[in-house]
Amino acid sequence: MEMLVPPWLESLLSTAFFTICPRHREAPRSECNMFCLDCNSSDAFCFYCRSTQHRDHPVIQIRRSSYHDVVRVAEIQKVLDISGVQTYVINSARVLFLNERPQPKSSTSKGVSHLCEICGRSLLDPFRFCSLGCKLVGIKKSGDANFNLSTKNEEIRDGMGRRLGSKEEEEEEMREGSQKDMYTSTPIPPQYSTSRRRKGIPHRAPFAS
């Protein structure tokens, strides 16, 4: 039976990020904000550790938003099925949260249409979970979701990407073509100078007999 959760996910969710790397403490990029999907370890590491110890390994980078750990959708969706998890746009990048966040005390669920099935946090859109951690709990409870990307889903997604790219290219070509037509379809009339124009010899109409 195919596993619903990849073996590295729970380690990722329990890892403490943004500590200072003991090996590169004096370096400017010494924050441990990276995680390796191959190594059987829950230790985060820094930029320099990646270049030396995880150079050929699949690595994802964790970022921070309001003191909470997030990961970019563009990175995590390559290795996880993130369907059902609320995403957010932060600093022009679409991200999702790794773990559940405490609901602010001032917040209330009254009038809120969408709530996380696990922690009850209010959501912006009709998703089931507020984070990867809550989706993990939901999978363990009911088993009606999973994190694994199937080959079929990957083929569908890749095909959609190719079709979207082709459509965008066609639209761009159409826009460029319209602009070219706008500038070339109407010929510019020649500019004649009147300073050198000679008067023609006048011709009188013949007298009628």
Side-chain angles (χ1 to χ4, degrees):
M1 180 180 178
E2 186 181 15
M3 297 176 60
L4 300 178
V5 180
W8 50 264
L9 181 59
E10 292 192 64
S11 294
L12 169 68
L13 298 180
S14 62
T15 296
F17 293 99
F18 298 96
T19 58
I20 301 300
C21 177
R23 300 185 187 89
H24 307 97
R25 188 177 299 274
E26 304 302 325
R29 301 176 66 179
S30 60
E31 282 189 329
C32 294
N33 62 345
M34 298 191 178
F35 185 86
C36 181
L37 307 185
D38 274 359
C39 298
N40 188 18
S41 170
S42 60
D43 295 331
F45 51 89
C46 73
F47 168 82
Y48 305 101
C49 292
R50 176 182 184 177
S51 61
T52 57
Q53 302 175 28
H54 305 272
R55 181 177 301 173
D56 300 321
H57 297 177
V59 170
I60 58 175
Q61 182 176 351
I62 306 303
R63 293 168 168 82
R64 271 276 168 98
S65 174
S66 301
Y67 303 101
H68 295 286
D69 296 336
V70 301
V71 62
R72 286 185 175 177
V73 170
E75 289 186 52
I76 197 67
Q77 68 181 0
K78 297 176 182 178
V79 293
L80 285 182
D81 180 353
I82 61 172
S83 59
V85 182
Q86 173 75 66
T87 62
Y88 301 86
V89 177
I90 300 175
N91 293 332
S92 302
R94 186 161 292 278
V95 302
L96 51 78
F97 287 87
L98 295 191
N99 291 295
E100 171 190 343
R101 294 164 292 151
Q103 184 85 4
K105 292 182 180 180
S106 59
S107 298
T108 175
S109 59
K110 280 188 176 182
V112 177
S113 302
H114 314 297
L115 298 174
C116 176
E117 294 181 6
I118 303 303
C119 70
R121 185 179 182 87
S122 58
L123 305 177
L124 301 177
D125 305 298
F127 288 97
R128 297 179 58 189
F129 310 104
C130 70
S131 62
L132 293 178
C134 281
K135 180 173 180 176
L136 176 61
V137 174
I139 290 173
K140 290 182 176 181
K141 280 186 174 182
S142 60
D144 63 345
N146 71 82
F147 279 114
N148 286 338
L149 292 170
S150 66
T151 303
K152 181 177 180 180
N153 287 341
E154 289 178 350
E155 291 174 352
I156 292 173
R157 188 175 61 256
D158 290 343
M160 289 175 63
R162 285 194 295 270
R163 289 196 296 270
L164 180 59
S166 300
K167 183 178 180 181
E168 290 174 345
E169 289 172 1
E170 289 175 1
E171 290 177 351
E172 185 64 27
E173 290 175 358
M174 289 175 64
R175 285 195 294 271
E176 292 179 357
S178 299
Q179 292 176 352
K180 290 176 182 177
D181 291 342
M182 182 167 49
Y183 291 108
T184 61
S185 60
T186 304
I188 301 175
Q191 300 296 322
Y192 294 107
S193 175
T194 59
S195 60
R196 297 183 179 179
R197 184 180 298 172
R198 292 184 178 180
K199 293 184 178 180
I201 300 174
H203 294 279
R204 295 181 178 180
F207 291 101
S209 54

